[in-house]
Amino acid sequence: MKRSVRIPVTFGALGVILGSVGLSLRAQDAAVDIVFASGPDDSGTVQRLVDAFNDIHDGEIRVEWRAMPAENDAHREALLADLDANPGGIDLMASDVVWTAELARSGAVEDLTDRFYDDLDRESLLAEPLRSALYRLRIWGVPWYTDAGLLFYRRDQLAASGFTAPPTTWDELGTMARQVMDDSGTAHGFVFQGADYEGGTVSAAEFIWSAGGDVMSSRVAVTGLVVTSVTEVDSISVGSAAAAAGLDIARGLIVDGVSPAEVVDFREEQALDAFASGDAVFLRGWPYAYRVLRDAGFEPDKIGVAPLPAAAGGESASCLGGFNLMVNSRSTDAEQEAAWTLLRYLASPLQQRRQALEAGLLPVLGDLYDDPELVAEVPVLGVGKAVFESQLHTRPMSPFYNLVSERIA
């Protein structure tokens, strides 16, 4: 027989006990607040996704979306400054595909390898975007959306000048552009990003790759996520004859009047504005440009999208772009769990599809490129799929890439 024991408790002690229980319950019930940082979004899609997530996880997780600067270089600097000054401030971050090595090497982001293999399907993701999240055979991020350089053109103007297909070489682009400029009075033939920033580096790399040149060797070659061979270590090859030939193409377009002299100061916004206003026949742009042009009132039959041209005897080359989702290594365990929950939500098929429809961004899930309804609504997916299969190039995966990029830009 158990004996009961009476323990005298004063009202003061009882208050302390009940108060501590209440605090404990409130602590368990309190929502975890996290900050998600990514580039700005003029389509409003990111905020809508975050709002929907907050509704789903009401009382559990509350996400604040923080828009970073639009320009790639300024975005990187602001992110690094925040991680340094306020180590646990941003819990989930969108990282450009070329920042992986730098962020991983610095210890700023969490190693997600175990989480990735436990919760996600590697085979569902496009290979190149996934490789961009790899550094030293560990996975540091999960692809959120991907990008590839594409050629946008005025389909109606080419047809009016007797051209039935877009150019496949830079020489053809120059010939077509001059003819359309003469026939229609369009001010410029071809606009691209030529300013002194990462976008200028990307344009330079695409010209170089299309002529058979390269910028910088990789440290290792990989198949899937397995090392197959070791290459020359971080060798700078931008000084080769082939690389020079590619840059000569860019210079020649300006000298010949196909591209305006001011293109050396163009970033994405200026190049897209010139094309959208009717002042250019051809545009080198990212996939989201199609959504911007559509929203600006362009009819689908007036705008065409194609792979970028190649040098004579070369092959079309498009630069991999896009952003990966990474978790701050200095966030608390609870914040990291909440960040991972948000990451899985953003990378899910439903949200990937929504982002393609609303923001015009290329998804990272291969099956979505075979969705006929989605491809009909977002035509850049069809071209993007062809580019990813045979024409995609990646910038060097190196913690020192930024130093090389600055010199090229």
Side-chain angles (χ1 to χ4, degrees):
M1 180 178 176
K2 293 182 179 179
R3 299 176 60 188
S4 62
V5 178
R6 298 175 63 88
I7 301 175
V9 179
T10 66
F11 283 110
L14 180 63
V16 170
I17 293 171
L18 293 177
S20 64
V21 170
L23 286 172
S24 175
L25 291 174
R26 284 196 295 274
Q28 291 176 7
D29 293 340
V32 178
D33 291 318
I34 61 172
V35 175
F36 170 44
S38 70
D41 170 33
D42 61 2
S43 74
T45 305
V46 175
Q47 187 63 65
R48 289 192 291 272
L49 292 176
V50 168
D51 290 343
F53 178 89
N54 282 336
D55 288 341
I56 294 169
H57 295 275
D58 185 34
E60 301 171 353
I61 303 172
R62 185 166 45 248
V63 179
E64 172 197 341
W65 174 52
R66 183 177 302 171
M68 304 298 278
E71 183 188 301
N72 184 283
D73 296 341
H75 182 166
R76 172 181 166 274
E77 290 173 4
L79 179 62
L80 293 178
D82 193 283
L83 292 174
D84 183 54
N86 185 22
I90 295 173
D91 304 293
L92 184 69
M93 65 199 81
S95 164
D96 189 289
V97 293
V98 295
W99 302 341
T100 299
E102 181 180 14
L103 291 173
R105 189 170 185 265
S106 71
V109 294
E110 190 74 4
D111 181 346
L112 299 179
T113 307
D114 292 340
R115 286 184 185 271
F116 178 89
Y117 282 110
D118 287 344
D119 296 347
L120 300 177
D121 176 15
R122 190 189 82 181
E123 299 302 322
S124 69
L125 291 160
L126 296 174
E128 291 299 338
L130 180 54
R131 285 175 191 154
S132 75
L134 180 73
Y135 179 65
R136 292 184 175 175
L137 305 184
R138 306 296 290 176
I139 298 174
W140 302 91
V142 174
W144 181 28
Y145 68 84
T146 190
D147 259 337
L150 302 175
L151 180 71
F152 293 82
Y153 61 95
R154 289 293 302 271
R155 189 193 302 272
D156 55 337
Q157 290 186 348
L158 262 63
S161 292
F163 300 112
T164 58
T168 59
T169 68
W170 293 114
D171 287 342
E172 288 179 358
L173 181 143
T175 299
M176 291 183 180
R178 283 187 290 269
Q179 184 64 55
V180 173
M181 291 165 70
D182 290 342
D183 294 343
S184 66
T186 303
H188 311 308
F190 176 56
V191 290
F192 58 94
Q193 297 79 47
D196 182 3
Y197 77 122
E198 183 62 24
T201 299
V202 167
S203 291
E206 287 172 341
F207 280 113
I208 290 169
W209 290 326
S210 77
D214 206 348
V215 173
M216 179 180 176
S217 74
S218 299
R219 182 178 295 273
V220 293
V222 297
T223 301
L225 296 180
V226 180
V227 175
T228 57
S229 63
V230 178
T231 64
E232 191 175 0
V233 176
D234 290 344
S235 174
I236 308 299
S237 50
V238 73
S240 69
L247 294 177
D248 278 345
I249 294 171
R251 182 177 184 277
L253 290 169
I254 298 174
V255 171
D256 293 343
V258 174
S259 296
E262 56 263 35
V263 79
V264 298
D265 294 319
F266 276 15
R267 301 167 188 261
E268 280 86 359
E269 182 180 2
Q270 290 78 21
L272 182 53
D273 284 349
F275 186 81
S277 65
D279 288 337
V281 183
F282 297 102
L283 162 73
R284 184 274 175 212
W286 298 107
Y288 78 88
Y290 187 88
R291 188 264 308 168
V292 175
L293 295 169
R294 180 195 63 197
D295 292 349
F298 274 93
E299 297 296 329
D301 60 341
K302 291 185 178 181
I303 301 298
V305 188
L308 290 167
E315 297 180 352
S316 173
S318 176
C319 184
L320 174 73
F323 280 77
N324 299 323
L325 298 170
M326 295 182 165
V327 176
N328 191 335
S329 63
R330 296 175 183 173
S331 295
T332 66
D333 290 346
E335 289 165 344
Q336 288 188 7
E337 286 296 329
W340 180 251
T341 301
L342 175 60
L343 184 156
R344 292 183 62 189
Y345 166 84
L346 293 173
S348 68
L350 182 62
Q351 311 314 327
Q352 288 282 299
R353 195 176 196 279
R354 182 176 179 182
Q355 195 160 248
L357 286 168
E358 297 180 16
L361 300 175
L362 294 183
V364 297
L365 300 174
D367 287 350
L368 293 179
Y369 290 80
D370 297 320
D371 181 333
E373 294 183 2
L374 185 60
V375 173
E377 287 289 327
V378 190
V380 290
L381 264 68
V383 181
K385 181 179 180 181
V387 168
F388 275 103
E389 289 175 347
S390 62
Q391 297 147 3
L392 194 67
H393 288 246
T394 59
R395 285 162 286 175
M397 181 59 70
S398 167
F400 311 110
Y401 168 74
N402 189 62
L403 300 176
V404 178
S405 174
E406 289 175 356
R407 296 297 298 273
I408 296 173

